[in-house]
Amino acid sequence: MTERSLQRNPLWIAYEHVAMLIGLGSLAAVCLSWLPFAMLLHPVLPRELGQTLGRRVIMIGFRLYLRILGGLCACRFDLSELDHLHKEGPMIIAANHPSLLDAVLIVSRLPNAICVMKASLMDNVLFGSAARLARYIRNDGALQIIRQSRAGWRKAPKWCCSRKAAAPGTFR
């Protein structure tokens, strides 16, 4: 079958809908499974321990999510180049995504990455508690990002910053 005929095939259309539901549902399930623990641990764990644990669990959760996408949704990801980045020196990785997937790909391979997140994602039920535990940086403007990031740069020199999360006018 050609790609064009596949797009019109009712079975293929049904598969795409099911795959989308599985994909989004599994991301929600992964996030919701960590949510109560992140909420409870954030106020009681020391900052360093909470940050390390939070980032590690997010990385593991995103790896699980990518395996689900690969196994059930016929997605293929070649992340071999990302696997080499943790050995490199300090860097800023600017994710230019129309969706959340590229940030998921990056964080799944860089366990100590600092993410600058859109403020609305930090307030989101699915992502907020885990992001706060991991001490990701909330985008409340350029000055706020700089203030929050000074100490983190020395300890975790890998940054994942999306174009949407960056302060207006900082990425062109």
Side-chain angles (χ1 to χ4, degrees):
M1 282 187 160
T2 66
E3 189 174 322
R4 189 165 184 91
S5 64
L6 260 180
Q7 292 174 349
R8 295 181 188 166
N9 184 332
L11 289 176
W12 182 255
I13 293 169
Y15 164 76
E16 287 179 330
H17 285 83
V18 169
M20 179 64 79
L21 289 173
I22 290 170
L24 293 175
S26 61
L27 178 60
V30 167
C31 292
L32 285 172
S33 67
W34 175 234
L35 173 79
F37 301 104
M39 279 177 61
L40 293 172
L41 293 173
H42 182 259
V44 297
L45 285 181
R47 183 177 181 85
E48 291 283 323
L49 180 60
Q51 177 178 306
T52 302
L53 176 67
R55 291 179 185 173
R56 185 68 57 175
V57 170
I58 289 171
M59 180 194 73
I60 292 167
F62 283 170
R63 285 185 179 199
L64 173 65
Y65 172 61
L66 294 174
R67 283 183 185 243
I68 291 169
L69 288 181
L72 300 177
C73 300
C75 295
R76 286 175 280 166
F77 305 101
D78 179 6
L79 304 176
S80 58
E81 293 300 319
L82 284 175
D83 289 334
H84 299 293
L85 289 181
H86 71 88
K87 299 173 191 167
E88 300 292 323
M91 69 182 66
I92 296 174
I93 302 167
N96 187 12
H97 55 262
S99 69
L100 184 67
L101 193 56
D102 58 349
V104 170
L105 297 171
I106 293 166
V107 172
S108 76
R109 293 298 185 233
L110 299 176
N112 205 20
I114 299 173
C115 291
V116 177
M117 294 179 67
K118 230 166 117 173
S120 62
L121 283 177
M122 292 290 279
D123 296 334
N124 184 289
V125 173
L126 285 178
F127 304 116
S129 292
R132 286 188 293 276
L133 180 63
R135 303 303 195 267
Y136 288 163
I137 295 175
R138 177 189 183 95
N139 173 20
D140 285 322
L143 185 58
Q144 184 69 16
I145 292 170
I146 292 168
R147 283 184 180 149
Q148 290 181 7
S149 64
R150 283 187 300 190
W153 186 257
R154 284 180 230 107
K155 296 176 185 170
K158 304 292 188 275
W159 286 67
C160 177
C161 180
S162 74
R163 180 179 51 81
K164 291 180 182 180
T170 55
F171 287 103
R172 295 272 182 224

